[in-house]
PDB file of all heavy atoms in Angstrom:
ATOM      1  N   GLN Y 857     274.209 140.345  93.853  1.00  0.00           N
ATOM      2  CA  GLN Y 857     273.974 139.132  94.619  1.00  0.00           C
ATOM      3  C   GLN Y 857     272.657 139.186  95.401  1.00  0.00           C
ATOM      4  O   GLN Y 857     272.442 140.108  96.174  1.00  0.00           O
ATOM      5  CB  GLN Y 857     275.157 138.904  95.592  1.00  0.00           C
ATOM      6  CG  GLN Y 857     276.450 138.518  94.896  1.00  0.00           C
ATOM      7  CD  GLN Y 857     277.615 138.404  95.839  1.00  0.00           C
ATOM      8  OE1 GLN Y 857     277.417 138.335  97.065  1.00  0.00           O
ATOM      9  NE2 GLN Y 857     278.822 138.369  95.320  1.00  0.00           N
ATOM     10  N   LEU Y 952     286.348 103.831 108.259  1.00  0.00           N
ATOM     11  CA  LEU Y 952     285.295 104.392 109.095  1.00  0.00           C
ATOM     12  C   LEU Y 952     284.165 103.397 109.356  1.00  0.00           C
ATOM     13  O   LEU Y 952     283.173 103.742 109.974  1.00  0.00           O
ATOM     14  CB  LEU Y 952     284.744 105.668 108.444  1.00  0.00           C
ATOM     15  CG  LEU Y 952     285.688 106.862 108.425  1.00  0.00           C
ATOM     16  CD1 LEU Y 952     285.063 108.013 107.662  1.00  0.00           C
ATOM     17  CD2 LEU Y 952     286.013 107.303 109.840  1.00  0.00           C
ATOM     18  N   GLU Y 965     288.393 114.646 126.004  1.00  0.00           N
ATOM     19  CA  GLU Y 965     287.158 115.342 125.637  1.00  0.00           C
ATOM     20  C   GLU Y 965     286.236 115.559 126.831  1.00  0.00           C
ATOM     21  O   GLU Y 965     285.616 116.597 126.997  1.00  0.00           O
ATOM     22  CB  GLU Y 965     286.446 114.556 124.559  1.00  0.00           C
ATOM     23  CG  GLU Y 965     285.341 115.293 123.821  1.00  0.00           C
ATOM     24  CD  GLU Y 965     285.913 116.374 122.904  1.00  0.00           C
ATOM     25  OE1 GLU Y 965     287.005 116.193 122.351  1.00  0.00           O
ATOM     26  OE2 GLU Y 965     285.236 117.397 122.755  1.00  0.00           O
ATOM     27  N   ASP Y 968     286.936 115.537 133.690  1.00  0.00           N
ATOM     28  CA  ASP Y 968     286.533 114.903 134.969  1.00  0.00           C
ATOM     29  C   ASP Y 968     285.284 114.048 134.835  1.00  0.00           C
ATOM     30  O   ASP Y 968     284.995 113.192 135.674  1.00  0.00           O
ATOM     31  CB  ASP Y 968     286.338 115.986 136.036  1.00  0.00           C
ATOM     32  CG  ASP Y 968     287.630 116.691 136.391  1.00  0.00           C
ATOM     33  OD1 ASP Y 968     288.700 116.120 136.110  1.00  0.00           O
ATOM     34  OD2 ASP Y 968     287.558 117.808 136.911  1.00  0.00           O
ATOM     35  N   PRO Y1155     297.164 116.063  97.203  1.00  0.00           N
ATOM     36  CA  PRO Y1155     295.859 115.390  97.422  1.00  0.00           C
ATOM     37  C   PRO Y1155     294.786 116.362  97.851  1.00  0.00           C
ATOM     38  O   PRO Y1155     293.619 116.005  97.884  1.00  0.00           O
ATOM     39  CB  PRO Y1155     296.192 114.377  98.538  1.00  0.00           C
ATOM     40  CG  PRO Y1155     297.331 114.975  99.271  1.00  0.00           C
ATOM     41  CD  PRO Y1155     298.159 115.698  98.265  1.00  0.00           C
ATOM     42  N   ILE Y1209     293.684 140.654 113.762  1.00  0.00           N
ATOM     43  CA  ILE Y1209     293.223 142.008 113.388  1.00  0.00           C
ATOM     44  C   ILE Y1209     294.142 143.081 113.965  1.00  0.00           C
ATOM     45  O   ILE Y1209     294.414 144.094 113.309  1.00  0.00           O
ATOM     46  CB  ILE Y1209     291.762 142.203 113.867  1.00  0.00           C
ATOM     47  CG1 ILE Y1209     290.826 141.288 113.080  1.00  0.00           C
ATOM     48  CG2 ILE Y1209     291.325 143.641 113.691  1.00  0.00           C
ATOM     49  CD1 ILE Y1209     289.423 141.246 113.613  1.00  0.00           C
ATOM     50  N   LYS Y1246     294.416 143.836 123.534  1.00  0.00           N
ATOM     51  CA  LYS Y1246     294.538 145.218 123.073  1.00  0.00           C
ATOM     52  C   LYS Y1246     293.490 145.481 121.973  1.00  0.00           C
ATOM     53  O   LYS Y1246     292.807 146.512 121.983  1.00  0.00           O
ATOM     54  CB  LYS Y1246     295.958 145.448 122.482  1.00  0.00           C
ATOM     55  CG  LYS Y1246     297.063 145.445 123.526  1.00  0.00           C
ATOM     56  CD  LYS Y1246     298.443 145.502 122.932  1.00  0.00           C
ATOM     57  CE  LYS Y1246     298.835 146.924 122.515  1.00  0.00           C
ATOM     58  NZ  LYS Y1246     299.129 147.762 123.688  1.00  0.00           N
ATOM     59  N   LEU Y1264     279.893 162.623 120.492  1.00  0.00           N
ATOM     60  CA  LEU Y1264     278.960 163.715 120.678  1.00  0.00           C
ATOM     61  C   LEU Y1264     278.706 164.020 122.166  1.00  0.00           C
ATOM     62  O   LEU Y1264     277.993 164.969 122.472  1.00  0.00           O
ATOM     63  CB  LEU Y1264     277.610 163.375 120.032  1.00  0.00           C
ATOM     64  CG  LEU Y1264     277.613 162.903 118.574  1.00  0.00           C
ATOM     65  CD1 LEU Y1264     276.202 162.651 118.097  1.00  0.00           C
ATOM     66  CD2 LEU Y1264     278.325 163.912 117.706  1.00  0.00           C
ATOM     67  N   ASP Y1295     285.859 133.274 139.192  1.00  0.00           N
ATOM     68  CA  ASP Y1295     285.944 132.005 139.929  1.00  0.00           C
ATOM     69  C   ASP Y1295     284.584 131.335 140.039  1.00  0.00           C
ATOM     70  O   ASP Y1295     284.502 130.099 140.059  1.00  0.00           O
ATOM     71  CB  ASP Y1295     286.499 132.263 141.336  1.00  0.00           C
ATOM     72  CG  ASP Y1295     287.965 132.673 141.318  1.00  0.00           C
ATOM     73  OD1 ASP Y1295     288.646 132.413 140.292  1.00  0.00           O
ATOM     74  OD2 ASP Y1295     288.442 133.250 142.309  1.00  0.00           O
ATOM     75  N   PRO Y1371     250.926 174.128 101.498  1.00  0.00           N
ATOM     76  CA  PRO Y1371     251.432 173.458 100.317  1.00  0.00           C
ATOM     77  C   PRO Y1371     252.841 172.839 100.481  1.00  0.00           C
ATOM     78  O   PRO Y1371     253.252 172.026  99.668  1.00  0.00           O
ATOM     79  CB  PRO Y1371     251.515 174.574  99.260  1.00  0.00           C
ATOM     80  CG  PRO Y1371     251.739 175.810 100.083  1.00  0.00           C
ATOM     81  CD  PRO Y1371     250.995 175.592 101.368  1.00  0.00           C
ATOM     82  N   SER Y1383     258.478 155.370 117.910  1.00  0.00           N
ATOM     83  CA  SER Y1383     257.120 155.108 117.385  1.00  0.00           C
ATOM     84  C   SER Y1383     256.460 153.974 118.143  1.00  0.00           C
ATOM     85  O   SER Y1383     255.261 153.981 118.391  1.00  0.00           O
ATOM     86  CB  SER Y1383     257.168 154.819 115.908  1.00  0.00           C
ATOM     87  OG  SER Y1383     257.501 155.974 115.157  1.00  0.00           O
ATOM     88  N   LEU Y1390     249.912 155.857 123.456  1.00  0.00           N
ATOM     89  CA  LEU Y1390     248.849 156.765 123.097  1.00  0.00           C
ATOM     90  C   LEU Y1390     247.711 156.091 122.343  1.00  0.00           C
ATOM     91  O   LEU Y1390     246.550 156.513 122.460  1.00  0.00           O
ATOM     92  CB  LEU Y1390     249.400 157.905 122.227  1.00  0.00           C
ATOM     93  CG  LEU Y1390     250.453 158.809 122.930  1.00  0.00           C
ATOM     94  CD1 LEU Y1390     250.981 159.852 121.934  1.00  0.00           C
ATOM     95  CD2 LEU Y1390     249.830 159.498 124.140  1.00  0.00           C
ATOM     96  N   ASN Y1549     251.266  95.289  67.053  1.00  0.00           N
ATOM     97  CA  ASN Y1549     250.753  96.537  67.626  1.00  0.00           C
ATOM     98  C   ASN Y1549     250.771  96.482  69.153  1.00  0.00           C
ATOM     99  O   ASN Y1549     251.062  97.440  69.825  1.00  0.00           O
ATOM    100  CB  ASN Y1549     249.352  96.810  67.113  1.00  0.00           C
ATOM    101  CG  ASN Y1549     249.342  97.386  65.704  1.00  0.00           C
ATOM    102  OD1 ASN Y1549     250.296  98.088  65.319  1.00  0.00           O
ATOM    103  ND2 ASN Y1549     248.329  97.087  64.931  1.00  0.00           N
ATOM    104  N   ASN Y1575     259.906 125.346  91.713  1.00  0.00           N
ATOM    105  CA  ASN Y1575     259.568 126.181  90.563  1.00  0.00           C
ATOM    106  C   ASN Y1575     260.455 125.806  89.414  1.00  0.00           C
ATOM    107  O   ASN Y1575     261.639 126.165  89.390  1.00  0.00           O
ATOM    108  CB  ASN Y1575     259.720 127.660  90.910  1.00  0.00           C
ATOM    109  CG  ASN Y1575     259.005 128.545  89.902  1.00  0.00           C
ATOM    110  OD1 ASN Y1575     259.032 128.277  88.704  1.00  0.00           O
ATOM    111  ND2 ASN Y1575     258.398 129.601  90.381  1.00  0.00           N
TER     112      ASN Y1575
END
Side-chain angles (χ1 to χ4, degrees):
Q857 291 176 14
L952 290 175
E965 196 70 33
D968 294 340
I1209 293 171
K1246 291 173 81 72
L1264 309 181
D1295 291 341
S1383 289
L1390 297 177
N1549 282 329
N1575 196 322

